[in-house]
Amino acid sequence: MNVLAFLYQISLPQRLLDRFLFEFALVPSRFFGQLSLVAPFDWTPFLTNMFLHGGWLHLILNMWTLWIFGPAVEDRLGPGRFILFYLFCGVAAGLAHALANPDSAVPALGASGAIAGVIGCYTRMFPAARLVVMVPIVFIPLFFEVRAIAFALIWFFMQLVPGFFSLGVQASGGIAWWAHIGGFVAGWLITPLLRRPSAAYRQYYRDEGVYGFLPDGRRKGKQGPWT
């Protein structure tokens, strides 16, 4: 759906694209600022903005991150709950961004707020999972293995600091820090309400856990369907 919405978006001529983004991307001032006096009252953008993107790189990075963290979360929540969870986190992310930038007339768009919720959920369910991260030093990529909880704390701090510095500053585009913060917090908090009992989890396939660890980072034993 993200890809199809983006392909439609880039097919529009500039005049129609500007109107399309004003109507379906999230313009905070339409709800909490001066534009609320002249713009039609419609809460749809809190849902539709998460299916739009600002360019190919924006789309690819978001879909890549969703592909990394999404499957494990969907396994634990189930497909139906996962969709509701994803949409809830996206709406919460949009609301956090709009409240933090009430006078902004810049359209905010992208799935990163909803995906931040997926990261928060993943971290809460699999805190000890091992993630391989790349840190480029000049032109040399260095790879490190970190626990999911450590990755999430570092990532959240990197959103929180610029997010606080952006408060009170007239937004002119760029990264929607508070959408990331709001989505992550929403995902973290709602996870216990949606997580299925362990008896409902699917069986592991034989090619899963081949490195000796379960999805939550614990070392696997000699018993169980994954051996």
Side-chain angles (χ1 to χ4, degrees):
M1 290 180 65
N2 281 279
V3 173
L4 292 176
F6 179 71
L7 292 177
Y8 174 76
Q9 175 187 334
I10 62 175
S11 71
L12 297 174
Q14 189 61 47
R15 180 178 60 84
L16 293 180
L17 177 61
D18 292 340
R19 182 65 184 177
F20 177 79
L21 293 180
F22 182 80
E23 291 183 358
F24 295 104
L26 179 59
V27 180
S29 184
R30 287 185 61 189
F31 308 95
F32 304 111
Q34 294 182 353
L35 288 180
S36 63
L37 302 176
V38 296
F41 188 83
D42 181 11
W43 293 95
T44 304
F46 283 94
L47 181 65
T48 56
N49 86 90
M50 70 181 82
F51 296 100
L52 307 175
H53 287 83
W56 281 107
L57 183 61
H58 190 201
L59 174 70
I60 291 171
L61 290 178
N62 274 344
M63 295 303 97
W64 182 28
T65 307
L66 180 61
W67 177 72
I68 291 173
F69 293 100
V73 173
E74 185 182 14
D75 265 357
R76 290 296 185 260
L77 302 185
R81 293 186 184 187
F82 177 76
I83 293 175
L84 294 176
F85 168 82
Y86 181 89
L87 296 177
F88 173 82
C89 290
V91 171
L95 185 61
H97 171 74
L99 291 175
N101 304 275
D103 296 317
S104 174
V106 179
L109 68 173
S112 55
I115 296 171
V118 175
I119 295 176
C121 181
Y122 181 95
T123 305
R124 183 149 192 179
M125 292 194 296
F126 310 111
R130 288 162 169 78
L131 303 176
V132 177
V133 298
M134 183 189 72
V135 180
I137 305 298
V138 189
F139 297 104
I140 303 175
L142 300 179
F143 296 88
F144 300 91
E145 187 181 79
V146 298
R147 301 275 187 173
I149 187 65
F151 168 84
L153 289 174
I154 295 172
W155 178 87
F156 188 73
F157 181 77
M158 292 173 64
Q159 314 305 309
L160 200 59
V161 172
F164 276 114
F165 278 109
S166 69
L167 291 177
V169 178
Q170 184 66 35
S172 59
I175 299 175
W177 303 108
W178 283 98
H180 298 172
I181 296 169
F184 182 90
V185 172
W188 178 278
L189 293 177
I190 200 175
T191 294
L193 302 178
L194 296 179
R195 185 172 185 172
R196 296 184 298 174
S198 58
Y201 296 166
R202 67 169 177 82
Q203 296 289 319
Y204 289 106
Y205 296 108
R206 287 187 175 275
D207 62 345
E208 294 182 293
V210 294
Y211 296 109
F213 296 94
L214 300 179
D216 61 1
R218 294 175 296 147
R219 190 179 298 276
K220 70 176 182 179
K222 296 182 179 181
Q223 302 298 324
W226 50 82
T227 57

